[in-house]
């Protein structure tokens, strides 16, 4: 990851000119304390659900302290947001009608993406006994599927100029195909090649969903609040919801294995684990297919018939100059 990030930074340094259309402006209006508080909220939330299974959730004093700290920090974030002029996330940015729908959809994608972190890893490691080097082959499948999903979005929107909101239905269908295929494939002695298709479908659907939702977010919010909307989506995407779902899946898997052992099923530990993983994939199938049916019956209408244009940086620079003059005159 560090190598890839350095490659991106080097590419920017080589292929772009150090050109400024306006003079550098100091970051005087950024709420740094608000940034720290929102970051602490994310860290505390991630820590709670990441170590919940290890500490046996609220039975441990460490988890109780983490829950109290999360509530207090969140209250500080909300209070500061409502009582200062330039909040890190402005209160007006939370009032857009379609924003909460988008955040729910982002959470759904993270829920579907958390299944391989627990169930697929438990299946490949605990049932199939694949090593790390073997399972890394699936990462190349995910990478290929992500590129295919992005190119599919490009062709859908730019070449064929179809409704970009219908891409969400295609993404949901692809995401729903993953737990269905895994439910049908789970068995001891499965070849790793059989996992290529479900992994490809999941990563393909993720790429379509995240690309389309980001476009839809840009359509639903003006430029002034768009990056705040990205921050809200990032709060869901970059850790908290995925950690929440992974923690719940880990707890559900442990509970399901204990329940199957208690029922006295005539299987060894590998068979019981395989049955438990299949049961949880079955529950995930119900959720995914239910959401797919909702999308098929409810055609989400776009904000406008054509995509709006992002403002050019020259326009943004002129707007910033006008605001700077107003502040200087006042």
């Amino acid at each position: 990851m560090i190598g890839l990030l350095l490659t991106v930074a080097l590419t920017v340094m080589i292929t772009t000119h150090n050109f400024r259309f306006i003079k550098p402006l100091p970051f005087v209006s950024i709420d740094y304390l608000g940034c720290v508080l929102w970051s602490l909220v994310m860290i505390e939330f991630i820590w709670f659900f990441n170590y919940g299974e290890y500490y046996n959730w609220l039975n441990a004093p460490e988890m109780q302290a983490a829950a109290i700290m999360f509530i207090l920090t969140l209250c500080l974030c909300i209070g500061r947001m409502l009582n200062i002029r330039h909040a890190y996330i402005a209160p007006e940015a939370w009032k857009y009608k379609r924003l909460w729908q988008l955040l729910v959809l982002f959470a759904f994608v993270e829920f579907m993406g958390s299944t391989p972190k627990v169930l697929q890893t438990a299946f490949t490691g605990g049932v199939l006994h694949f090593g790390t080097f073997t399972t890394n082959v699936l990462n190349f499948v995910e990478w290929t599927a992500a590129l295919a999903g992005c190119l599919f979005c490009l062709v859908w929107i730019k070449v064929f100029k179809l409704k970009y909101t219908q891409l969400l239905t295609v993404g949901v269908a692809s995401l729903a195909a993953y737990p269905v295929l895994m439910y049908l494939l789970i068995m001891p002695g499965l070849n790793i090649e059989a996992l290529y298709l479900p992994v490809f479908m999941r990563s393909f659907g993720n790429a379509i969903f995240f690309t389309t939702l980001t476009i839809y977010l840009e359509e639903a919010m003006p430029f002034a609040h768009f990056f705040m909307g990205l921050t809200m989506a990032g709060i869901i995407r970059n850790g908290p919801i995925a950690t929440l779902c992974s923690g719940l899946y880990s707890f559900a898997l442990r509970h399901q294995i204990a329940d199957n052992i208690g029922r006295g099923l005539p299987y060894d530990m590998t068979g019981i684990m395989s049955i438990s993983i299949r049961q949880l994939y079955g529950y995930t199938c119900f959720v995914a297919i239910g959401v797919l049916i909702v999308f098929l019956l409810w055609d989400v209408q776009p904000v406008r018939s054509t995509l709006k244009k992002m403002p050019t940086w020259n326009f943004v620079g002129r707007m910033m100059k006008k605001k700077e003059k107003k502040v200087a005159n006042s």
Side-chain angles (χ1 to χ4, degrees), residues 27-78:
F27 292 157
V28 294
S29 299
I30 294 181
D31 181 19
Y32 290 103
L33 181 57
C35 176
V36 173
L37 289 175
W38 282 110
S39 301
L40 286 177
V41 167
M42 290 183 61
I43 293 173
E44 291 164 358
F45 190 93
I46 292 172
W47 190 93
F48 183 85
F49 286 97
N50 193 44
Y51 292 99
E53 192 70 8
Y54 178 81
Y55 285 107
N56 198 16
W57 300 100
L58 290 175
N59 293 321
E62 292 88 351
M63 301 300 294
Q64 297 172 5
I68 295 173
M69 289 176 60
F70 169 76
I71 295 173
L72 292 177
T73 310
L74 182 60
C75 291
L76 289 174
C77 286
I78 297 175

Side-chain angles (χ1 to χ4, degrees), residues 162-181:
L162 300 174
K163 286 185 177 181
Y164 58 92
T165 49
Q166 293 179 349
L167 271 175
L168 294 175
T169 306
V170 178
V172 172
S174 182
L175 288 173
Y178 169 74
V180 173
L181 290 172

Side-chain angles (χ1 to χ4, degrees), residues 9-189:
L10 183 62
T11 303
V12 173
M13 293 176 61
I14 294 176
T15 59
T16 59
H17 295 285
N18 186 13
F19 171 75
R20 299 180 183 272
F21 55 89
I22 59 174
K23 66 178 182 179
L25 298 176
F27 292 157
V28 294
S29 299
I30 294 181
D31 181 19
Y32 290 103
L33 181 57
C35 176
V36 173
L37 289 175
W38 282 110
S39 301
L40 286 177
V41 167
M42 290 183 61
I43 293 173
E44 291 164 358
F45 190 93
I46 292 172
W47 190 93
F48 183 85
F49 286 97
N50 193 44
Y51 292 99
E53 192 70 8
Y54 178 81
Y55 285 107
N56 198 16
W57 300 100
L58 290 175
N59 293 321
E62 292 88 351
M63 301 300 294
Q64 297 172 5
I68 295 173
M69 289 176 60
F70 169 76
I71 295 173
L72 292 177
T73 310
L74 182 60
C75 291
L76 289 174
C77 286
I78 297 175
R80 183 173 178 81
M81 178 181 66
L82 297 175
N83 292 287
I84 67 171
R85 182 180 179 185
H86 297 288
Y88 187 72
I89 302 178
E92 297 78 13
W94 297 93
K95 297 179 181 179
Y96 294 95
K97 295 181 180 180
R98 300 178 183 270
L99 174 64
W100 292 99
Q101 299 174 6
L102 294 174
L103 295 181
V104 170
L105 292 177
F106 274 117
F108 167 74
V109 179
E110 290 299 327
F111 165 74
M112 295 301 298
S114 63
T115 50
K117 298 177 182 178
V118 179
L119 301 184
Q120 182 178 304
T121 303
F123 176 61
T124 56
V127 177
L128 301 180
H129 304 291
F130 289 158
T132 304
F133 183 79
T134 304
T135 54
N136 277 338
V137 178
L138 300 177
N139 294 333
F140 291 98
V141 178
E142 292 185 7
W143 178 72
T144 304
L147 289 179
C150 294
L151 291 175
F152 183 84
C153 292
L154 180 64
V155 173
W156 182 286
I157 296 174
K158 291 296 184 181
V159 178
F160 294 108
K161 300 185 183 300
L162 300 174
K163 286 185 177 181
Y164 58 92
T165 49
Q166 293 179 349
L167 271 175
L168 294 175
T169 306
V170 178
V172 172
S174 182
L175 288 173
Y178 169 74
V180 173
L181 290 172
M182 290 298 295
Y183 180 82
L184 298 174
L185 290 173
I186 287 178
M187 63 182 69

Side-chain angles (χ1 to χ4, degrees), residues 182-255:
M182 290 298 295
Y183 180 82
L184 298 174
L185 290 173
I186 287 178
M187 63 182 69
L190 186 71
N191 293 328
I192 192 172
E193 289 80 6
L195 300 177
Y196 289 173
L197 180 59
V199 170
F200 183 92
M201 295 301 293
R202 178 180 57 80
S203 184
F204 183 78
N206 272 338
I208 292 177
F209 228 100
F210 282 133
T211 302
T212 309
L213 288 180
T214 305
I215 294 174
Y216 202 81
L217 184 68
E218 190 269 334
E219 291 289 297
M221 303 183 71
F223 184 80
H225 293 149
F226 171 64
F227 293 99
M228 294 182 184
L230 286 180
T231 302
M232 300 174 199
I235 291 176
I236 292 179
R237 287 181 54 185
N238 300 329
I241 300 300
T243 310
L244 165 65
C245 296
S246 298
L248 295 179
Y249 267 117
S250 299
F251 174 78
L253 181 60
R254 178 168 62 90
H255 178 271

